[in-house]
Amino acid sequence: MFKSIAGRFFALWGMLWFIATMLLFFPWFLYCRWFLPEPKRTAAFISASRLWMGIYLPMIGCPLKVRGTSNFQKGKNYIVVCNHNSLMDVPVTSPGIPGTNKTIAKKEFAKVPLFGIIYQLGSVLVDRKSEQSRRDGYQQMKAVLEMGLHMCIYPEGTRNKTSEPLKPFKDGAFRLALETGKPVMPALLYHTRGVMPAGKIFFLWPHPLEMHFLPSMSPASGESVKAFRERVFEVMKTELIAAEKRKN
């Protein structure tokens, strides 16, 4: 009972700080949207978002620690594939990924007043119910990679609400890797599920967050999308299980 009540209090605290800090940066985001061409627009947005989240996350008791950035080679861009447990994941991945990046995201959130403008700046928006939107989103992701930006994808598709470390992966990120020749960078988020559980409405529980990048992976010669997908899945699942054992 105490945690349920306290979680609502923390959620209110988090919402108020989110709005306050968002409004602080909002004029810059408008400038990015109206006056900067790509890829400068996304680069300026990500730099500001990194500063924004660097203020916001510690204020709500969720400071972010990032490990494994040395796996990113200078001058190369990657398809970053990340586990997906919570609505907290997107605010963490965009600033957590070194360099300029875009994240695949649900189109519905773009309709939220003010926040929707910010949301669109760092995202490739996809309506999962529309086959045409999914096709368009795939082409936009190719364009992001062609600009030299990283592309962040959640290969589970939706948030993992199961007891398993990962849900089965979908093909998109791995087909994109085969077609573009870009390496995949596995990334693991820790503790976002506990901070903002999928099954609880208006709830937040402060806890330090972590984002770990594993060594990049590329498809072997002649390797199928399915085989590459499963190989990346096993690497990420094994690391998540090992991390859970280390914690216990």
Side-chain angles (χ1 to χ4, degrees), residues 13-45:
W13 174 263
M15 182 183 71
L16 293 175
W17 271 107
F18 186 84
I19 293 171
T21 52
M22 179 184 73
L23 293 176
L24 178 67
F25 285 90
F26 194 71
W28 176 252
F29 293 141
L30 285 180
Y31 171 78
C32 294
R33 180 182 175 88
W34 289 341
F35 297 108
L36 295 180
E38 290 288 17
K40 290 182 179 179
R41 178 189 304 150
T42 301
F45 167 74

PDB file of all heavy atoms in Angstrom, residues 13-45:
ATOM      1  N   TRP A  13       5.605  14.152  -9.015  1.00  0.00           N
ATOM      2  CA  TRP A  13       6.882  14.868  -8.981  1.00  0.00           C
ATOM      3  C   TRP A  13       7.565  14.787 -10.348  1.00  0.00           C
ATOM      4  O   TRP A  13       8.046  15.792 -10.880  1.00  0.00           O
ATOM      5  CB  TRP A  13       7.755  14.263  -7.888  1.00  0.00           C
ATOM      6  CG  TRP A  13       9.158  14.773  -7.805  1.00  0.00           C
ATOM      7  CD1 TRP A  13      10.270  14.193  -8.346  1.00  0.00           C
ATOM      8  CD2 TRP A  13       9.611  15.960  -7.142  1.00  0.00           C
ATOM      9  NE1 TRP A  13      11.401  14.941  -8.052  1.00  0.00           N
ATOM     10  CE2 TRP A  13      11.026  16.029  -7.315  1.00  0.00           C
ATOM     11  CE3 TRP A  13       8.963  16.965  -6.419  1.00  0.00           C
ATOM     12  CZ2 TRP A  13      11.787  17.065  -6.791  1.00  0.00           C
ATOM     13  CZ3 TRP A  13       9.737  17.997  -5.893  1.00  0.00           C
ATOM     14  CH2 TRP A  13      11.122  18.033  -6.083  1.00  0.00           C
ATOM     15  N   GLY A  14       7.592  13.589 -10.923  1.00  0.00           N
ATOM     16  CA  GLY A  14       8.225  13.407 -12.213  1.00  0.00           C
ATOM     17  C   GLY A  14       7.523  14.172 -13.317  1.00  0.00           C
ATOM     18  O   GLY A  14       8.167  14.760 -14.190  1.00  0.00           O
ATOM     19  N   MET A  15       6.189  14.182 -13.290  1.00  0.00           N
ATOM     20  CA  MET A  15       5.425  14.887 -14.318  1.00  0.00           C
ATOM     21  C   MET A  15       5.673  16.387 -14.240  1.00  0.00           C
ATOM     22  O   MET A  15       5.870  17.056 -15.266  1.00  0.00           O
ATOM     23  CB  MET A  15       3.933  14.600 -14.155  1.00  0.00           C
ATOM     24  CG  MET A  15       3.054  15.257 -15.211  1.00  0.00           C
ATOM     25  SD  MET A  15       1.297  14.966 -14.937  1.00  0.00           S
ATOM     26  CE  MET A  15       1.014  16.002 -13.488  1.00  0.00           C
ATOM     27  N   LEU A  16       5.680  16.945 -13.018  1.00  0.00           N
ATOM     28  CA  LEU A  16       5.890  18.388 -12.856  1.00  0.00           C
ATOM     29  C   LEU A  16       7.281  18.797 -13.327  1.00  0.00           C
ATOM     30  O   LEU A  16       7.442  19.819 -14.007  1.00  0.00           O
ATOM     31  CB  LEU A  16       5.682  18.785 -11.394  1.00  0.00           C
ATOM     32  CG  LEU A  16       4.240  18.655 -10.876  1.00  0.00           C
ATOM     33  CD1 LEU A  16       4.183  18.957  -9.379  1.00  0.00           C
ATOM     34  CD2 LEU A  16       3.303  19.582 -11.638  1.00  0.00           C
ATOM     35  N   TRP A  17       8.297  17.997 -12.981  1.00  0.00           N
ATOM     36  CA  TRP A  17       9.645  18.302 -13.421  1.00  0.00           C
ATOM     37  C   TRP A  17       9.806  18.113 -14.921  1.00  0.00           C
ATOM     38  O   TRP A  17      10.550  18.845 -15.584  1.00  0.00           O
ATOM     39  CB  TRP A  17      10.665  17.449 -12.658  1.00  0.00           C
ATOM     40  CG  TRP A  17      11.110  18.116 -11.394  1.00  0.00           C
ATOM     41  CD1 TRP A  17      10.779  17.783 -10.113  1.00  0.00           C
ATOM     42  CD2 TRP A  17      11.954  19.262 -11.301  1.00  0.00           C
ATOM     43  NE1 TRP A  17      11.368  18.645  -9.227  1.00  0.00           N
ATOM     44  CE2 TRP A  17      12.111  19.564  -9.926  1.00  0.00           C
ATOM     45  CE3 TRP A  17      12.618  20.065 -12.228  1.00  0.00           C
ATOM     46  CZ2 TRP A  17      12.876  20.631  -9.468  1.00  0.00           C
ATOM     47  CZ3 TRP A  17      13.386  21.125 -11.782  1.00  0.00           C
ATOM     48  CH2 TRP A  17      13.512  21.393 -10.414  1.00  0.00           C
ATOM     49  N   PHE A  18       9.093  17.131 -15.475  1.00  0.00           N
ATOM     50  CA  PHE A  18       9.163  16.915 -16.918  1.00  0.00           C
ATOM     51  C   PHE A  18       8.614  18.129 -17.659  1.00  0.00           C
ATOM     52  O   PHE A  18       9.225  18.628 -18.611  1.00  0.00           O
ATOM     53  CB  PHE A  18       8.367  15.669 -17.312  1.00  0.00           C
ATOM     54  CG  PHE A  18       8.498  15.301 -18.762  1.00  0.00           C
ATOM     55  CD1 PHE A  18       9.564  14.545 -19.216  1.00  0.00           C
ATOM     56  CD2 PHE A  18       7.547  15.732 -19.690  1.00  0.00           C
ATOM     57  CE1 PHE A  18       9.698  14.220 -20.552  1.00  0.00           C
ATOM     58  CE2 PHE A  18       7.667  15.414 -21.037  1.00  0.00           C
ATOM     59  CZ  PHE A  18       8.742  14.652 -21.472  1.00  0.00           C
ATOM     60  N   ILE A  19       7.462  18.609 -17.220  1.00  0.00           N
ATOM     61  CA  ILE A  19       6.848  19.776 -17.874  1.00  0.00           C
ATOM     62  C   ILE A  19       7.736  21.004 -17.725  1.00  0.00           C
ATOM     63  O   ILE A  19       7.967  21.744 -18.691  1.00  0.00           O
ATOM     64  CB  ILE A  19       5.446  20.034 -17.297  1.00  0.00           C
ATOM     65  CG1 ILE A  19       4.506  18.886 -17.670  1.00  0.00           C
ATOM     66  CG2 ILE A  19       4.891  21.356 -17.803  1.00  0.00           C
ATOM     67  CD1 ILE A  19       3.167  18.939 -16.965  1.00  0.00           C
ATOM     68  N   ALA A  20       8.254  21.222 -16.510  1.00  0.00           N
ATOM     69  CA  ALA A  20       9.081  22.402 -16.256  1.00  0.00           C
ATOM     70  C   ALA A  20      10.344  22.392 -17.105  1.00  0.00           C
ATOM     71  O   ALA A  20      10.709  23.402 -17.724  1.00  0.00           O
ATOM     72  CB  ALA A  20       9.433  22.475 -14.769  1.00  0.00           C
ATOM     73  N   THR A  21      11.025  21.267 -17.146  1.00  0.00           N
ATOM     74  CA  THR A  21      12.269  21.200 -17.920  1.00  0.00           C
ATOM     75  C   THR A  21      11.989  21.196 -19.421  1.00  0.00           C
ATOM     76  O   THR A  21      12.768  21.740 -20.202  1.00  0.00           O
ATOM     77  CB  THR A  21      13.094  19.959 -17.527  1.00  0.00           C
ATOM     78  OG1 THR A  21      12.260  18.780 -17.602  1.00  0.00           O
ATOM     79  CG2 THR A  21      13.638  20.094 -16.114  1.00  0.00           C
ATOM     80  N   MET A  22      10.871  20.588 -19.829  1.00  0.00           N
ATOM     81  CA  MET A  22      10.504  20.602 -21.241  1.00  0.00           C
ATOM     82  C   MET A  22      10.287  22.033 -21.729  1.00  0.00           C
ATOM     83  O   MET A  22      10.766  22.425 -22.800  1.00  0.00           O
ATOM     84  CB  MET A  22       9.239  19.782 -21.477  1.00  0.00           C
ATOM     85  CG  MET A  22       8.769  19.768 -22.923  1.00  0.00           C
ATOM     86  SD  MET A  22       7.198  18.889 -23.176  1.00  0.00           S
ATOM     87  CE  MET A  22       6.045  20.080 -22.457  1.00  0.00           C
ATOM     88  N   LEU A  23       9.580  22.825 -20.937  1.00  0.00           N
ATOM     89  CA  LEU A  23       9.311  24.214 -21.319  1.00  0.00           C
ATOM     90  C   LEU A  23      10.594  25.031 -21.376  1.00  0.00           C
ATOM     91  O   LEU A  23      10.713  25.952 -22.181  1.00  0.00           O
ATOM     92  CB  LEU A  23       8.318  24.842 -20.344  1.00  0.00           C
ATOM     93  CG  LEU A  23       6.900  24.269 -20.389  1.00  0.00           C
ATOM     94  CD1 LEU A  23       6.025  24.904 -19.306  1.00  0.00           C
ATOM     95  CD2 LEU A  23       6.265  24.462 -21.760  1.00  0.00           C
ATOM     96  N   LEU A  24      11.557  24.672 -20.536  1.00  0.00           N
ATOM     97  CA  LEU A  24      12.848  25.361 -20.545  1.00  0.00           C
ATOM     98  C   LEU A  24      13.560  25.174 -21.880  1.00  0.00           C
ATOM     99  O   LEU A  24      14.156  26.108 -22.419  1.00  0.00           O
ATOM    100  CB  LEU A  24      13.710  24.830 -19.395  1.00  0.00           C
ATOM    101  CG  LEU A  24      15.122  25.405 -19.262  1.00  0.00           C
ATOM    102  CD1 LEU A  24      15.062  26.877 -18.883  1.00  0.00           C
ATOM    103  CD2 LEU A  24      15.915  24.622 -18.217  1.00  0.00           C
ATOM    104  N   PHE A  25      13.485  23.963 -22.423  1.00  0.00           N
ATOM    105  CA  PHE A  25      14.177  23.652 -23.673  1.00  0.00           C
ATOM    106  C   PHE A  25      13.303  23.856 -24.915  1.00  0.00           C
ATOM    107  O   PHE A  25      13.815  23.795 -26.034  1.00  0.00           O
ATOM    108  CB  PHE A  25      14.671  22.198 -23.647  1.00  0.00           C
ATOM    109  CG  PHE A  25      15.862  21.974 -22.775  1.00  0.00           C
ATOM    110  CD1 PHE A  25      15.708  21.636 -21.438  1.00  0.00           C
ATOM    111  CD2 PHE A  25      17.149  22.114 -23.281  1.00  0.00           C
ATOM    112  CE1 PHE A  25      16.813  21.428 -20.624  1.00  0.00           C
ATOM    113  CE2 PHE A  25      18.258  21.908 -22.480  1.00  0.00           C
ATOM    114  CZ  PHE A  25      18.095  21.567 -21.143  1.00  0.00           C
ATOM    115  N   PHE A  26      12.023  24.074 -24.722  1.00  0.00           N
ATOM    116  CA  PHE A  26      11.084  24.092 -25.851  1.00  0.00           C
ATOM    117  C   PHE A  26      11.430  25.125 -26.929  1.00  0.00           C
ATOM    118  O   PHE A  26      11.329  24.814 -28.124  1.00  0.00           O
ATOM    119  CB  PHE A  26       9.660  24.295 -25.345  1.00  0.00           C
ATOM    120  CG  PHE A  26       8.620  23.993 -26.373  1.00  0.00           C
ATOM    121  CD1 PHE A  26       8.366  22.685 -26.769  1.00  0.00           C
ATOM    122  CD2 PHE A  26       7.888  25.015 -26.972  1.00  0.00           C
ATOM    123  CE1 PHE A  26       7.412  22.399 -27.732  1.00  0.00           C
ATOM    124  CE2 PHE A  26       6.935  24.735 -27.931  1.00  0.00           C
ATOM    125  CZ  PHE A  26       6.694  23.427 -28.310  1.00  0.00           C
ATOM    126  N   PRO A  27      11.824  26.371 -26.563  1.00  0.00           N
ATOM    127  CA  PRO A  27      12.182  27.334 -27.625  1.00  0.00           C
ATOM    128  C   PRO A  27      13.302  26.814 -28.537  1.00  0.00           C
ATOM    129  O   PRO A  27      13.266  27.035 -29.752  1.00  0.00           O
ATOM    130  CB  PRO A  27      12.628  28.569 -26.837  1.00  0.00           C
ATOM    131  CG  PRO A  27      11.895  28.474 -25.545  1.00  0.00           C
ATOM    132  CD  PRO A  27      11.861  27.000 -25.234  1.00  0.00           C
ATOM    133  N   TRP A  28      14.275  26.116 -27.955  1.00  0.00           N
ATOM    134  CA  TRP A  28      15.360  25.564 -28.777  1.00  0.00           C
ATOM    135  C   TRP A  28      14.834  24.477 -29.707  1.00  0.00           C
ATOM    136  O   TRP A  28      15.237  24.404 -30.877  1.00  0.00           O
ATOM    137  CB  TRP A  28      16.471  25.011 -27.889  1.00  0.00           C
ATOM    138  CG  TRP A  28      17.557  24.338 -28.668  1.00  0.00           C
ATOM    139  CD1 TRP A  28      17.816  23.008 -28.742  1.00  0.00           C
ATOM    140  CD2 TRP A  28      18.527  24.969 -29.509  1.00  0.00           C
ATOM    141  NE1 TRP A  28      18.885  22.744 -29.566  1.00  0.00           N
ATOM    142  CE2 TRP A  28      19.350  23.932 -30.058  1.00  0.00           C
ATOM    143  CE3 TRP A  28      18.788  26.294 -29.859  1.00  0.00           C
ATOM    144  CZ2 TRP A  28      20.395  24.211 -30.920  1.00  0.00           C
ATOM    145  CZ3 TRP A  28      19.851  26.566 -30.735  1.00  0.00           C
ATOM    146  CH2 TRP A  28      20.634  25.526 -31.249  1.00  0.00           C
ATOM    147  N   PHE A  29      13.917  23.658 -29.205  1.00  0.00           N
ATOM    148  CA  PHE A  29      13.361  22.599 -30.040  1.00  0.00           C
ATOM    149  C   PHE A  29      12.564  23.187 -31.199  1.00  0.00           C
ATOM    150  O   PHE A  29      12.595  22.660 -32.307  1.00  0.00           O
ATOM    151  CB  PHE A  29      12.484  21.673 -29.199  1.00  0.00           C
ATOM    152  CG  PHE A  29      13.249  20.863 -28.181  1.00  0.00           C
ATOM    153  CD1 PHE A  29      12.734  20.625 -26.915  1.00  0.00           C
ATOM    154  CD2 PHE A  29      14.497  20.347 -28.480  1.00  0.00           C
ATOM    155  CE1 PHE A  29      13.438  19.892 -25.984  1.00  0.00           C
ATOM    156  CE2 PHE A  29      15.223  19.606 -27.549  1.00  0.00           C
ATOM    157  CZ  PHE A  29      14.683  19.381 -26.295  1.00  0.00           C
ATOM    158  N   LEU A  30      11.863  24.280 -30.948  1.00  0.00           N
ATOM    159  CA  LEU A  30      11.138  24.945 -32.030  1.00  0.00           C
ATOM    160  C   LEU A  30      12.118  25.494 -33.078  1.00  0.00           C
ATOM    161  O   LEU A  30      11.864  25.399 -34.287  1.00  0.00           O
ATOM    162  CB  LEU A  30      10.279  26.086 -31.484  1.00  0.00           C
ATOM    163  CG  LEU A  30       9.001  25.692 -30.745  1.00  0.00           C
ATOM    164  CD1 LEU A  30       8.274  26.950 -30.277  1.00  0.00           C
ATOM    165  CD2 LEU A  30       8.082  24.851 -31.618  1.00  0.00           C
ATOM    166  N   TYR A  31      13.211  26.063 -32.605  1.00  0.00           N
ATOM    167  CA  TYR A  31      14.236  26.565 -33.531  1.00  0.00           C
ATOM    168  C   TYR A  31      14.760  25.424 -34.402  1.00  0.00           C
ATOM    169  O   TYR A  31      14.911  25.571 -35.623  1.00  0.00           O
ATOM    170  CB  TYR A  31      15.372  27.208 -32.738  1.00  0.00           C
ATOM    171  CG  TYR A  31      16.559  27.567 -33.588  1.00  0.00           C
ATOM    172  CD1 TYR A  31      16.545  28.709 -34.385  1.00  0.00           C
ATOM    173  CD2 TYR A  31      17.697  26.758 -33.617  1.00  0.00           C
ATOM    174  CE1 TYR A  31      17.629  29.041 -35.191  1.00  0.00           C
ATOM    175  CE2 TYR A  31      18.782  27.074 -34.407  1.00  0.00           C
ATOM    176  CZ  TYR A  31      18.746  28.221 -35.195  1.00  0.00           C
ATOM    177  OH  TYR A  31      19.809  28.535 -35.990  1.00  0.00           O
ATOM    178  N   CYS A  32      15.047  24.287 -33.769  1.00  0.00           N
ATOM    179  CA  CYS A  32      15.528  23.122 -34.519  1.00  0.00           C
ATOM    180  C   CYS A  32      14.527  22.716 -35.590  1.00  0.00           C
ATOM    181  O   CYS A  32      14.896  22.439 -36.739  1.00  0.00           O
ATOM    182  CB  CYS A  32      15.774  21.941 -33.566  1.00  0.00           C
ATOM    183  SG  CYS A  32      17.106  22.175 -32.387  1.00  0.00           S
ATOM    184  N   ARG A  33      13.270  22.685 -35.212  1.00  0.00           N
ATOM    185  CA  ARG A  33      12.212  22.217 -36.120  1.00  0.00           C
ATOM    186  C   ARG A  33      12.015  23.158 -37.299  1.00  0.00           C
ATOM    187  O   ARG A  33      11.830  22.720 -38.431  1.00  0.00           O
ATOM    188  CB  ARG A  33      10.908  22.061 -35.346  1.00  0.00           C
ATOM    189  CG  ARG A  33       9.733  21.583 -36.180  1.00  0.00           C
ATOM    190  CD  ARG A  33       8.472  21.495 -35.336  1.00  0.00           C
ATOM    191  NE  ARG A  33       7.306  21.151 -36.126  1.00  0.00           N
ATOM    192  CZ  ARG A  33       6.914  19.914 -36.382  1.00  0.00           C
ATOM    193  NH1 ARG A  33       7.603  18.899 -35.911  1.00  0.00           N
ATOM    194  NH2 ARG A  33       5.837  19.678 -37.106  1.00  0.00           N
ATOM    195  N   TRP A  34      12.059  24.449 -37.058  1.00  0.00           N
ATOM    196  CA  TRP A  34      11.704  25.427 -38.082  1.00  0.00           C
ATOM    197  C   TRP A  34      12.885  25.896 -38.936  1.00  0.00           C
ATOM    198  O   TRP A  34      12.698  26.274 -40.090  1.00  0.00           O
ATOM    199  CB  TRP A  34      11.050  26.647 -37.431  1.00  0.00           C
ATOM    200  CG  TRP A  34       9.676  26.387 -36.887  1.00  0.00           C
ATOM    201  CD1 TRP A  34       8.840  25.363 -37.207  1.00  0.00           C
ATOM    202  CD2 TRP A  34       8.983  27.173 -35.917  1.00  0.00           C
ATOM    203  NE1 TRP A  34       7.667  25.451 -36.494  1.00  0.00           N
ATOM    204  CE2 TRP A  34       7.720  26.560 -35.696  1.00  0.00           C
ATOM    205  CE3 TRP A  34       9.294  28.331 -35.195  1.00  0.00           C
ATOM    206  CZ2 TRP A  34       6.790  27.064 -34.789  1.00  0.00           C
ATOM    207  CZ3 TRP A  34       8.365  28.834 -34.310  1.00  0.00           C
ATOM    208  CH2 TRP A  34       7.127  28.213 -34.112  1.00  0.00           C
ATOM    209  N   PHE A  35      14.093  25.892 -38.374  1.00  0.00           N
ATOM    210  CA  PHE A  35      15.184  26.572 -39.059  1.00  0.00           C
ATOM    211  C   PHE A  35      16.375  25.701 -39.446  1.00  0.00           C
ATOM    212  O   PHE A  35      17.232  26.153 -40.213  1.00  0.00           O
ATOM    213  CB  PHE A  35      15.696  27.733 -38.179  1.00  0.00           C
ATOM    214  CG  PHE A  35      14.666  28.789 -37.933  1.00  0.00           C
ATOM    215  CD1 PHE A  35      14.077  28.921 -36.685  1.00  0.00           C
ATOM    216  CD2 PHE A  35      14.265  29.653 -38.938  1.00  0.00           C
ATOM    217  CE1 PHE A  35      13.125  29.890 -36.440  1.00  0.00           C
ATOM    218  CE2 PHE A  35      13.310  30.638 -38.718  1.00  0.00           C
ATOM    219  CZ  PHE A  35      12.734  30.749 -37.466  1.00  0.00           C
ATOM    220  N   LEU A  36      16.454  24.482 -38.932  1.00  0.00           N
ATOM    221  CA  LEU A  36      17.625  23.659 -39.234  1.00  0.00           C
ATOM    222  C   LEU A  36      17.271  22.532 -40.198  1.00  0.00           C
ATOM    223  O   LEU A  36      16.263  21.848 -40.019  1.00  0.00           O
ATOM    224  CB  LEU A  36      18.206  23.069 -37.945  1.00  0.00           C
ATOM    225  CG  LEU A  36      18.787  24.061 -36.929  1.00  0.00           C
ATOM    226  CD1 LEU A  36      19.327  23.314 -35.716  1.00  0.00           C
ATOM    227  CD2 LEU A  36      19.872  24.924 -37.557  1.00  0.00           C
ATOM    228  N   PRO A  37      18.106  22.309 -41.206  1.00  0.00           N
ATOM    229  CA  PRO A  37      17.898  21.166 -42.107  1.00  0.00           C
ATOM    230  C   PRO A  37      18.475  19.903 -41.477  1.00  0.00           C
ATOM    231  O   PRO A  37      19.278  19.959 -40.543  1.00  0.00           O
ATOM    232  CB  PRO A  37      18.689  21.566 -43.351  1.00  0.00           C
ATOM    233  CG  PRO A  37      19.812  22.387 -42.798  1.00  0.00           C
ATOM    234  CD  PRO A  37      19.263  23.130 -41.607  1.00  0.00           C
ATOM    235  N   GLU A  38      18.078  18.758 -41.986  1.00  0.00           N
ATOM    236  CA  GLU A  38      18.693  17.500 -41.563  1.00  0.00           C
ATOM    237  C   GLU A  38      20.064  17.350 -42.224  1.00  0.00           C
ATOM    238  O   GLU A  38      20.263  17.828 -43.353  1.00  0.00           O
ATOM    239  CB  GLU A  38      17.800  16.317 -41.962  1.00  0.00           C
ATOM    240  CG  GLU A  38      16.512  16.214 -41.175  1.00  0.00           C
ATOM    241  CD  GLU A  38      16.738  15.755 -39.726  1.00  0.00           C
ATOM    242  OE1 GLU A  38      17.886  15.816 -39.227  1.00  0.00           O
ATOM    243  OE2 GLU A  38      15.757  15.364 -39.099  1.00  0.00           O
ATOM    244  N   PRO A  39      21.037  16.733 -41.554  1.00  0.00           N
ATOM    245  CA  PRO A  39      20.949  16.116 -40.225  1.00  0.00           C
ATOM    246  C   PRO A  39      21.266  17.047 -39.065  1.00  0.00           C
ATOM    247  O   PRO A  39      21.299  16.614 -37.928  1.00  0.00           O
ATOM    248  CB  PRO A  39      21.984  14.996 -40.314  1.00  0.00           C
ATOM    249  CG  PRO A  39      23.041  15.563 -41.215  1.00  0.00           C
ATOM    250  CD  PRO A  39      22.312  16.406 -42.229  1.00  0.00           C
ATOM    251  N   LYS A  40      21.516  18.358 -39.372  1.00  0.00           N
ATOM    252  CA  LYS A  40      21.822  19.298 -38.297  1.00  0.00           C
ATOM    253  C   LYS A  40      20.666  19.399 -37.302  1.00  0.00           C
ATOM    254  O   LYS A  40      20.884  19.591 -36.105  1.00  0.00           O
ATOM    255  CB  LYS A  40      22.136  20.677 -38.874  1.00  0.00           C
ATOM    256  CG  LYS A  40      23.459  20.758 -39.636  1.00  0.00           C
ATOM    257  CD  LYS A  40      23.720  22.168 -40.125  1.00  0.00           C
ATOM    258  CE  LYS A  40      25.048  22.264 -40.864  1.00  0.00           C
ATOM    259  NZ  LYS A  40      25.297  23.642 -41.359  1.00  0.00           N
ATOM    260  N   ARG A  41      19.443  19.279 -37.801  1.00  0.00           N
ATOM    261  CA  ARG A  41      18.276  19.373 -36.933  1.00  0.00           C
ATOM    262  C   ARG A  41      18.299  18.302 -35.846  1.00  0.00           C
ATOM    263  O   ARG A  41      18.155  18.586 -34.652  1.00  0.00           O
ATOM    264  CB  ARG A  41      16.996  19.238 -37.757  1.00  0.00           C
ATOM    265  CG  ARG A  41      15.708  19.269 -36.929  1.00  0.00           C
ATOM    266  CD  ARG A  41      14.506  18.901 -37.786  1.00  0.00           C
ATOM    267  NE  ARG A  41      14.424  19.789 -38.929  1.00  0.00           N
ATOM    268  CZ  ARG A  41      13.920  19.451 -40.115  1.00  0.00           C
ATOM    269  NH1 ARG A  41      13.489  18.217 -40.324  1.00  0.00           N
ATOM    270  NH2 ARG A  41      13.861  20.326 -41.093  1.00  0.00           N
ATOM    271  N   THR A  42      18.514  17.060 -36.271  1.00  0.00           N
ATOM    272  CA  THR A  42      18.532  15.968 -35.294  1.00  0.00           C
ATOM    273  C   THR A  42      19.734  16.068 -34.380  1.00  0.00           C
ATOM    274  O   THR A  42      19.638  15.787 -33.181  1.00  0.00           O
ATOM    275  CB  THR A  42      18.520  14.611 -36.018  1.00  0.00           C
ATOM    276  OG1 THR A  42      17.341  14.529 -36.834  1.00  0.00           O
ATOM    277  CG2 THR A  42      18.491  13.470 -35.015  1.00  0.00           C
ATOM    278  N   ALA A  43      20.886  16.481 -34.916  1.00  0.00           N
ATOM    279  CA  ALA A  43      22.084  16.615 -34.092  1.00  0.00           C
ATOM    280  C   ALA A  43      21.869  17.653 -32.988  1.00  0.00           C
ATOM    281  O   ALA A  43      22.229  17.423 -31.822  1.00  0.00           O
ATOM    282  CB  ALA A  43      23.280  16.997 -34.956  1.00  0.00           C
ATOM    283  N   ALA A  44      21.272  18.790 -33.351  1.00  0.00           N
ATOM    284  CA  ALA A  44      21.016  19.829 -32.354  1.00  0.00           C
ATOM    285  C   ALA A  44      19.973  19.372 -31.343  1.00  0.00           C
ATOM    286  O   ALA A  44      20.073  19.670 -30.147  1.00  0.00           O
ATOM    287  CB  ALA A  44      20.547  21.108 -33.048  1.00  0.00           C
ATOM    288  N   PHE A  45      18.983  18.646 -31.816  1.00  0.00           N
ATOM    289  CA  PHE A  45      17.949  18.135 -30.922  1.00  0.00           C
ATOM    290  C   PHE A  45      18.523  17.129 -29.922  1.00  0.00           C
ATOM    291  O   PHE A  45      18.238  17.192 -28.720  1.00  0.00           O
ATOM    292  CB  PHE A  45      16.834  17.475 -31.734  1.00  0.00           C
ATOM    293  CG  PHE A  45      15.901  16.650 -30.903  1.00  0.00           C
ATOM    294  CD1 PHE A  45      14.967  17.255 -30.086  1.00  0.00           C
ATOM    295  CD2 PHE A  45      15.966  15.265 -30.920  1.00  0.00           C
ATOM    296  CE1 PHE A  45      14.105  16.503 -29.285  1.00  0.00           C
ATOM    297  CE2 PHE A  45      15.114  14.499 -30.131  1.00  0.00           C
ATOM    298  CZ  PHE A  45      14.184  15.123 -29.317  1.00  0.00           C
TER     299      PHE A  45
END
